[in-house]
Amino acid sequence: MKRRFYPLPKQSIDILLINPPLEAEKRYGRGLSLLGSYVPPLGLGCIASYLREAGYSVSILDAEILRLSISDIITHIKSLSIKTIGLTATTVAIDNAAFVAEKIKETLNIPVILGGAHVSAAPTETFSRFDCFDYGILGEGEETTKELLDLLLRKSSKNKKNEIAGLLYKEGADLIKTGLRKHIPNIDTLPFPAYDLFPDIRKYYRPMIFDYRKLPAASVITSRGCPGRCTFCDQSVFGKTLRQHSAEYIFKLFKYLQQTFGIHDFIIHDDTFLVNKSRTMQFCKLLLDGKLNIRWYVQAKTNLVDQEILHAIKQAGCWIIAYGLESGSRDLLKNLNKGTTPEINTQALQQAKAAGLITKGFFMLGTINETADSIKATMQYIKNNAKYLDLITISKFTPFPNTPDYARALEHGFFDKTWKLSNQFSYSYIPPAVDKKTILNAANAITLSFYLRPRKLLKLFALFLNIFKEWLLVNLRLII
Ligand code: B12
Ligand code: SF4
């Protein structure tokens, strides 16, 4: 179904922030796109609200969710008066972002700014490969982008280009990368992401299948940075130091989303929401005292949970917890620097079940040290723990730029660095000790043997019926 376009304001726009079109198949591989996650690009929402607070007029065009073609985007842009354009991109989306930028450059003579995970991870390569971006915003984007707009639009004399930390640009044949941008110390000073600038979040977005119970649902981020050191993880934007919103801030955000958009289901997309126990306990108390009556999904690290915290979150409306379990092999977990063991993972699953939570495990096949034995260990682990695991997702290891595994992958195994294959489902990397077929067969065998059991099927069917009802309602809302 072609999604309906939504109108952007006709007034002059200081910056139009675009989430480039990205076909679901490119993100998830063929066959899985229906099950995928479609949530608002919160990075653009954060930039938008920060700039709006600074007095700039901002709009967001989520071309991915609206399924807009390049010509749709260009037609629309031409009908508006826009001073600058900002694009966001992960590695898998960078080619599409560049294509959009090229077409914009053919049409309008305005600065095009690129931010997000990819340019932060691979700045030099990106700007060397593409000529269509004028500026790159490296890392945390709010302050850098504001300073850049102050310079470009308000002709502020406070900063020169080369004095704006976190900026990337070309000067003649030279590529200039200014100094590191310091992280904002207290992220509670930031306004809420501009959820109101996305296409109606009640109609257009739908989180990953089984991550929500009822629509509309909203996704939120309550922290930046992760103290973990997993070798496959891209930490280029927010780094390794954890900064969290306070429990009060998150409570207010949830309340705002409930009151403004009628949201009752929340997807907390933080890498490790439960890392600070006292904040979690405080947040749970606020939810209970405030009688917000919501449901939420959370992701956590298995070595950072205990029975008390899991009971508390269940009481406060959390219904599902997802753990990055990755592998059943002790050696592999060590190799990935997860800081966990199969025993720690099992204990966290058992505790979550004891607290009455639905559990989801993320597993990854094909990491650099994967062997036939480690694959067997993962299969066995999932089999042994099937009673504590309600849902599993098997993804394909993908080396992302600027991660320890990227450098290792270049040296060991087969690695096709083509950016558009960086989607965690394509086979861009094959480790030295196992071949593609073995990995593919194992992924299929694990998934089938896990789900094709009467009890699991019944549970899945019940969850699915609920989701199907919600999906139908949303699509009806889109048509009406
Ligand atoms: C939630 C999430 C998702 C959600 C929503 C994605 C979305 N549309 O925002 C879903 C589940 C859909 C998803 C999908 C994918 N994701 Co994801 N995701 C995340 C996660 C956990 C949080 C993203 C977020 O909202 N962060 C909070 C915001 C505020 O941060 P931000 O987006 O980086 O934005 C800041 C700066 O980057 C900058 N900025 C960003 N954009 C722009 C644009 C402009 C113009 C400017 C000036 C600044 C700017 O300013 C922002 C504020 O400081 C991150 C990890 C993380 N902690 O960030 C991974 C992460 C971004 N995802 C990742 C990946 C790999 C994917 C997928 C490829 C996986 C898959 N196969 O589905 C897809 C790609 C989707 C796409 N469209 O490109 C990787 C990206 C690595 C890389 N180099 O590509 C990350 C970093 C995880 C990781 N550590 O490896 N993801
Ligand atoms: S994978 Fe998760 S826990 Fe590990 S470093 Fe990345 S965000 Fe942190």
Side-chain angles (χ1 to χ4, degrees):
M1 184 190 12
K2 179 98 179 145
R3 294 193 183 233
R4 250 190 341 204
F5 208 178
Y6 72 111
L8 286 175
K10 286 280 176 194
Q11 92 264 18
S12 154
I13 296 168
D14 290 323
I15 184 161
L16 175 67
L17 297 168
I18 304 179
N19 189 26
L22 182 64
E23 303 79 6
E25 287 75 18
K26 273 202 188 144
R27 258 175 60 187
Y28 293 110
R30 226 177 297 151
L32 287 171
S33 53
L34 261 182
L35 314 177
S37 174
Y38 303 92
V39 297
L42 290 181
L44 292 187
C46 289
I47 295 293
S49 61
Y50 190 82
L51 293 177
R52 187 164 62 178
E53 205 173 71
Y56 288 105
S57 57
V58 190
S59 283
I60 297 179
L61 185 61
D62 187 347
E64 182 183 343
I65 203 71
L66 295 168
R67 299 186 200 167
L68 301 183
S69 66
I70 298 284
S71 65
D72 288 339
I73 298 174
I74 300 298
T75 310
H76 204 63
I77 286 177
K78 278 192 339 215
S79 73
L80 304 168
S81 160
I82 297 168
K83 293 185 189 145
T84 60
I85 296 241
L87 283 153
T88 190
T90 56
T91 298
V92 69
I94 188 64
D95 288 314
N96 284 17
F99 191 55
V100 174
E102 271 162 26
K103 294 289 163 199
I104 291 170
K105 283 283 180 196
E106 283 170 15
T107 317
L108 295 172
N109 184 21
I110 55 173
V112 175
I113 306 165
L114 173 69
H118 179 74
V119 69
S120 302
T124 312
E125 223 182 325
T126 307
F127 267 48
S128 309
R129 193 177 297 183
F130 302 114
D131 262 338
C132 48
F133 302 112
D134 297 294
Y135 299 98
I137 303 290
L138 308 183
E140 190 160 59
E142 284 87 348
E143 294 179 339
T144 312
T145 315
K146 181 190 166 293
E147 286 175 23
L148 180 63
L149 287 201
D150 288 349
L151 186 77
L152 296 175
L153 303 183
R154 291 183 179 159
K155 309 286 175 222
S156 158
S157 54
K158 232 168 100 192
N159 272 325
K160 293 197 189 89
K161 249 195 307 199
N162 61 359
E163 287 167 355
I164 299 176
L167 198 63
L168 178 74
Y169 59 93
K170 280 181 185 160
E171 209 155 64
D174 297 331
L175 190 56
I176 313 287
K177 204 160 110 185
T178 61
L180 274 185
R181 163 72 51 184
K182 281 204 188 94
H183 286 148
I184 297 164
N186 175 8
I187 57 173
D188 272 6
T189 56
L190 295 171
F192 296 155
Y195 287 91
D196 56 308
L197 293 183
F198 295 120
D200 191 339
I201 60 166
R202 289 164 296 195
K203 282 185 172 182
Y204 287 92
Y205 297 94
R206 166 177 61 71
M208 174 82 78
I209 190 160
F210 304 136
D211 285 357
Y212 63 92
R213 293 292 267 268
K214 216 169 164 24
L215 293 170
S219 82
V220 294
I221 288 276
T222 79
S223 63
R224 292 180 176 193
C226 174
R229 299 285 183 272
C230 307
T231 53
F232 55 87
C233 181
D234 177 5
Q235 298 180 299
S236 312
V237 173
F238 295 128
K240 299 175 195 311
T241 310
L242 178 74
R243 289 165 295 147
Q244 296 185 302
H245 286 300
S246 63
E248 290 79 11
Y249 183 101
I250 319 169
F251 177 71
K252 278 191 203 143
L253 172 63
F254 277 45
K255 208 165 161 183
Y256 159 77
L257 288 168
Q258 186 172 76
Q259 288 173 350
T260 315
F261 302 101
I263 306 288
H264 290 275
D265 235 291
F266 292 84
I267 314 296
I268 302 182
H269 260 136
D270 293 42
D271 306 310
T272 48
F273 179 72
L274 305 179
V275 64
N276 172 346
K277 188 168 176 181
S278 79
R279 180 185 84 137
T280 308
M281 295 309 237
Q282 225 181 322
F283 173 60
C284 291
K285 186 169 179 325
L286 284 172
L287 285 181
L288 291 172
D289 292 350
K291 299 195 172 45
L292 228 48
N293 194 20
I294 57 163
R295 274 175 307 270
W296 38 293
Y297 159 104
V298 78
Q299 297 176 164
K301 264 196 105 184
T302 53
N303 56 349
L304 293 172
V305 297
D306 61 32
Q307 198 63 73
E308 190 190 12
I309 205 166
L310 292 169
H311 272 300
I313 61 171
K314 174 73 171 79
Q315 293 301 309
C318 177
W319 68 282
I320 176 166
I321 188 161
Y323 294 125
L325 304 176
E326 320 303 354
S327 171
S329 152
R330 181 184 317 280
D331 288 346
L332 224 62
L333 289 175
K334 200 167 166 207
N335 221 273
L336 297 171
N337 209 15
K338 280 296 290 183
T340 59
T341 60
E343 292 74 24
I344 292 175
N345 289 345
T346 301
Q347 189 185 27
L349 286 171
Q350 289 169 337
Q351 288 174 335
K353 287 317 296 171
L357 293 160
I358 299 278
T359 55
K360 176 170 171 176
F362 293 118
F363 292 89
M364 193 163 60
L365 289 181
T367 52
I368 293 167
N369 293 74
E370 191 84 85
T371 59
D373 283 346
S374 63
I375 291 181
K376 261 191 222 138
T378 301
M379 285 175 149
Q380 196 58 45
Y381 181 86
I382 294 174
K383 200 169 165 200
N384 293 347
N385 290 284
K387 53 183 176 296
Y388 312 121
L389 267 168
D390 296 302
L391 299 163
I392 57 166
T393 301
I394 314 278
S395 65
K396 183 53 208 57
F397 166 69
T398 305
F400 287 106
N402 202 28
T403 61
D405 276 348
Y406 192 84
R408 294 204 290 169
L410 288 171
E411 288 182 10
H412 309 280
F414 164 82
F415 183 17
D416 180 346
K417 293 191 292 164
T418 309
W419 285 337
K420 60 173 176 275
L421 296 179
S422 299
N423 61 3
Q424 299 176 316
F425 294 94
S426 301
Y427 286 79
S428 61
Y429 176 75
I430 309 293
V434 272
D435 58 16
K436 178 177 168 180
K437 204 164 159 223
T438 310
I439 301 169
L440 183 67
N441 288 346
N444 291 339
I446 293 174
T447 310
L448 288 178
S449 65
F450 181 81
Y451 284 114
L452 289 184
R453 301 159 198 239
R455 270 171 140 207
K456 285 275 181 284
L457 278 176
L458 262 180
K459 192 161 213 165
L460 215 59
F461 187 65
L463 282 171
F464 184 76
L465 268 188
N466 193 45
I467 305 287
F468 182 67
K469 190 186 82 198
E470 294 300 318
W471 180 83
L472 215 60
L473 282 174
V474 164
N475 282 299
L476 279 176
R477 262 184 250 144
L478 276 175
I479 294 165
I480 296 164

